Amino acid sequence: MNIAIAQMGPAVGKVEENLSKHLELLKKAKDMGAEVVIFPELALTGYELYDLVPDVAIKEGHPIMEKLKEASRILPFFTGFVLEEDDLFFNAAGFFREGKLVHIHRKVFLPNYSMFEEKRFFAEGDRFRAFYDGKLGRVGILICYDYLHPSSSYVYFLQKVDLLVVLSASPARGYPQDGFPSIAMWENMSKVVSKHFTVYVAYANRVGFDGGMAFGGGSHAYSPTGEEILRLKDLEEDLGIFTYERKELRRARVLFPALRDERPRVIYREIRRILNED
Amino acid sequence: MRINPEIVEKLAVNFIRTELSRIGMRKGIVGLSGGLDSTTVLYLLTRAVGPENAVAVIMPHRVSSPSSVEDAMDVVKTLGVKHYLVDITPMVEAYFEKMPTDNKVLRGNKMARERMSILYDISAREGGLVIGTSNKSEILLGYGTIFGDLASAINPIGDLYKTQVRVLAKHLGVPEKILRKKPSADLWVGQTDEGELGITYEEADRILYELVDLRKPVEEVERSYGKEKVRGILDKIYKNHFKRLPPQILKISTRTVGRDFLYSRDVLT
């Protein structure tokens, strides 16, 4: 199974233009032999939306939503968009396949510090639900800051996911030495999560500039034994493919039976105790 | 506060290119003094858009040090960029004939705003953007003229301290004599930044870095550098904050520009 990561830079608020970019990259990835494509967080809308959030939101029946579904006839794909539901707006990611929106994840951890103001503009998601796909196995979707909380990956781990898909819009920051420290931070997380939860991790970060913020790129994939199997360029548009193999998952889990040895009931009891203490 | 100048160069070049093409322009305009910051920016601009689309504007006043113009002209020749040489003495002095003053700061501010006015005029003639040359040290200390040298469309070095700009400049191949020059706004004879600020950039940048970037507690920074110096810097930071913001607008409606009418600088471009 060949999975592509499309490290692109959407334009703020220009949904039609970003949609065309999706189509172009889906075709390009297909020509390269990809069978699934992963786009970054808010790839349909751009990141620094502020008051544009309601203007670019889509829901079932919206013409843009229909065009996205149609696009998945080229190749199945994951992408990020603003989802409108009951007049609430979510930073969301969807998996589209064969003309359908198969699964939606709403970002649970909205960053609201430093350059981030997501809680001001988005409603919070409240679930991490894995879904099953015939070709990809069990999949969990995370959006950017979700992934920096290891508890999110853990919840998917307990649902026996095979593939964690992370969509990200992470600005490059920190005075660069070998590279930007913010890019290394995501790699460190993927090294640990992939190996210790014995899953494939695919991390798709965007590039380009919003309001002077440069997004870092450095998208990557890690195998379930914790090996880097794809690393895209820092700070530039890029497109690359990694191979996802069922047998690698099995091999990793034979070598390191993390899931078998996990004791979620103990964890559950302890969390319940901690929460009941106040 | 070390930087990798190779990565910073690449990012800055990409930034200039992206922002220009977003607005549908090819050219960048830099006010070139012959000092470190403007020379560095002109080098970046030239790498981003090529010498044919980089425009340098040299704007001496009769009090400017003669070596400034010479150094600026050398840079223009080395890079092969288009340049304008506009002596601002007649317009500035025409004003002060009507409004005489000996106040050096008033005279300096007028000169800085005259230069801004010329830069924006030339940017419209050329169809380009004014590229800013203020560094992070100046911006934080408020060492600049509002609507003067602080005015620009985009600024590729505004998040780099003076000492970091020097590292970047060296990497870009900026001539040694410019690297070694004493930083100066060159608004009156004998003026130097460090003389006016009362502190060296080496030390000011360390203090700013610890306060602003590392967010160390003030008391801790004071223990390392002395209470007076740190207090002096904090005073400058807060006293000059207005220079970093658009004007304060009285809130009357529910959506006020700058407060709750929020869009990215890049919205729909």
Side-chain angles (χ1 to χ4, degrees):
Chain A
M1 183 81 191
N2 289 326
I3 302 178
I5 297 179
Q7 182 171 292
M8 46 90 86
V12 176
K14 291 191 158 176
V15 173
E16 287 282 357
E17 185 182 311
N18 298 330
L19 180 69
S20 311
K21 212 160 193 178
H22 276 69
L23 296 178
E24 208 177 284
L25 285 163
L26 284 169
K27 285 172 199 150
K28 196 167 164 197
K30 191 173 189 173
D31 290 343
M32 286 167 64
E35 294 156 272
V36 173
V37 182
I38 304 169
F39 292 95
E41 176 182 14
L42 296 175
L44 185 69
T45 60
Y47 180 76
E48 207 179 40
L49 292 167
Y50 299 140
D51 287 358
L52 283 181
V53 164
D55 302 347
V56 298
I58 57 174
K59 54 184 171 188
E60 275 303 323
H62 189 289
I64 295 287
M65 181 65 93
E66 296 314 306
K67 284 183 189 170
L68 276 176
K69 290 180 184 172
E70 225 23 65
S72 71
R73 296 191 192 278
I74 306 171
L75 277 186
F77 65 91
F78 295 81
T79 196
F81 54 93
V82 178
L83 174 72
E84 178 166 358
E85 252 173 8
D86 302 327
D87 304 330
L88 294 175
F89 305 97
F90 296 91
N91 181 342
F95 180 56
F96 297 82
R97 148 160 256 150
E98 287 155 20
K100 291 196 184 80
L101 172 54
V102 176
H103 183 81
I104 296 176
H105 171 70
R106 297 159 195 83
K107 191 170 185 177
V108 173
F109 291 98
L110 298 174
N112 227 37
Y113 64 95
S114 176
M115 69 286 250
F116 306 110
E117 306 178 61
E118 289 185 34
K119 272 190 197 152
R120 185 166 180 183
F121 301 100
F122 290 112
E124 288 169 314
D126 63 0
R127 58 202 59 192
F128 294 105
R129 297 290 159 83
F131 70 98
Y132 181 79
D133 176 85
K135 292 221 169 100
L136 294 172
R138 296 197 67 75
V139 182
I141 303 179
L142 295 168
I143 304 176
C144 212
Y145 197 38
D146 284 341
Y147 186 47
L148 290 183
H149 294 256
S151 41
S152 321
S153 298
Y154 179 74
V155 172
Y156 279 134
F157 170 61
L158 295 183
Q159 295 172 73
K160 303 183 174 65
V161 298
D162 302 314
L163 172 65
L164 270 181
V165 175
V166 187
L167 293 81
S168 183
S170 170
R173 55 199 190 273
Y175 295 119
Q177 315 293 327
D178 302 331
F180 277 98
S182 60
I183 300 174
M185 167 181 84
W186 297 101
E187 289 181 293
N188 292 337
M189 187 55 102
S190 293
K191 240 173 252 177
V192 173
V193 166
S194 61
K195 183 173 169 67
H196 292 273
F197 294 156
T198 56
V199 290
Y200 276 97
V201 169
Y203 170 83
N205 191 21
R206 62 161 287 190
V207 291
F209 296 87
D210 281 6
M213 281 194 294
F215 293 89
S219 303
H220 55 252
Y222 279 76
S223 78
T225 49
E227 303 295 325
E228 181 192 283
I229 49 177
L230 178 69
R231 175 64 160 83
L232 300 187
K233 287 180 206 156
D234 288 357
L235 302 161
E236 290 174 49
E237 294 215 335
D238 203 359
L239 177 66
I241 292 177
F242 69 95
T243 306
Y244 167 95
E245 294 174 291
R246 189 50 241 167
K247 68 174 177 29
E248 264 305 290
L249 285 160
R250 181 171 186 275
R251 189 175 75 87
R253 290 161 184 175
V254 168
L255 286 169
F256 180 46
L259 189 59
R260 184 199 69 191
D261 297 344
E262 186 54 36
R263 300 186 62 197
R265 288 200 180 278
V266 176
I267 305 297
Y268 174 63
R269 192 186 65 217
E270 291 304 300
I271 290 178
R272 208 177 39 187
R273 179 182 62 77
I274 293 161
L275 291 178
N276 288 340
E277 266 173 10
D278 11 285
Chain B
M1 53 190 305
R2 272 194 318 118
I3 55 159
N4 179 327
E6 225 167 290
I7 295 178
V8 173
E9 177 199 346
K10 216 168 150 191
L11 188 62
V13 163
N14 192 2
F15 168 71
I16 295 169
R17 243 181 237 150
T18 307
E19 297 304 313
L20 285 175
S21 75
R22 209 166 226 169
I23 298 162
M25 289 189 171
R26 286 197 333 272
K27 292 186 183 175
I29 320 295
V30 177
L32 184 68
S33 68
L36 183 68
D37 299 319
S38 59
T39 303
T40 303
V41 170
L42 188 63
Y43 268 69
L44 290 169
L45 175 66
T46 307
R47 280 181 204 185
V49 297
E52 65 282 10
N53 291 313
V55 180
V57 188
I58 307 169
M59 297 170 282
H61 181 273
R62 67 165 185 244
V63 302
S64 308
S65 134
S67 70
S68 298
V69 180
E70 287 160 28
D71 293 346
M73 282 307 300
D74 284 350
V75 169
V76 161
K77 276 186 205 124
T78 308
L79 293 175
V81 300
K82 178 171 180 180
H83 80 282
Y84 291 81
L85 181 60
V86 185
D87 181 0
I88 64 168
T89 314
M91 11 324 195
V92 169
E93 294 315 313
Y95 176 75
F96 285 118
E97 258 168 49
K98 305 264 183 216
M99 301 284 283
T101 178
D102 293 331
N103 185 319
K104 286 190 292 192
V105 176
L106 288 184
R107 292 188 57 87
N109 281 339
K110 176 69 186 166
M111 284 156 64
R113 294 196 182 107
E114 190 58 48
R115 291 184 173 121
M116 176 278 295
S117 158
I118 291 164
L119 281 176
Y120 275 84
D121 175 62
I122 291 177
S123 83
R125 289 168 193 247
E126 291 278 347
L129 285 186
V130 176
I131 316 292
T133 61
S134 299
N135 60 57
K136 190 172 185 172
S137 314
E138 291 174 334
I139 293 173
L140 284 172
L141 296 171
Y143 191 63
T145 300
I146 187 169
F147 310 125
D149 53 302
L150 290 173
S152 67
I154 60 168
N155 178 344
I157 62 162
D159 205 16
L160 293 173
Y161 291 109
K162 183 79 179 189
T163 46
Q164 294 172 321
V165 172
R166 196 170 286 127
V167 173
L168 175 62
K170 198 170 167 159
H171 163 79
L172 293 170
V174 167
E176 195 64 31
K177 64 176 176 187
I178 291 176
L179 292 175
R180 270 183 307 178
K181 214 182 246 190
K182 265 203 178 333
S184 169
D186 203 16
L187 295 169
W188 54 83
V189 177
Q191 184 191 25
T192 65
D193 294 7
E194 293 178 342
E196 263 202 287
L197 291 166
I199 189 168
T200 65
Y201 273 119
E202 295 290 335
E203 199 171 20
D205 287 358
R206 283 301 316 175
I207 296 171
L208 288 168
Y209 174 66
E210 293 191 16
L211 289 171
V212 174
D213 295 68
L214 301 182
R215 300 185 83 152
K216 281 196 186 171
V218 174
E219 302 72 41
E220 195 183 319
V221 184
E222 283 175 349
R223 275 197 293 280
S224 316
Y225 300 93
K227 203 168 180 146
E228 208 180 319
K229 262 183 200 154
V230 175
R231 287 280 151 195
I233 282 187
L234 280 171
D235 265 9
K236 286 194 168 75
I237 293 177
Y238 295 126
K239 200 181 80 207
N240 290 310
H241 192 53
F242 72 96
K243 295 187 183 177
R244 298 185 280 265
L245 296 174
Q248 191 85 288
I249 293 179
L250 167 66
K251 186 165 181 62
I252 293 173
S253 76
T254 52
R255 285 191 83 201
T256 309
V257 172
R259 183 168 295 277
D260 30 39
F261 176 83
L262 296 183
Y263 295 95
S264 172
R265 169 78 191 229
D266 295 323
V267 67
L268 302 179
T269 57

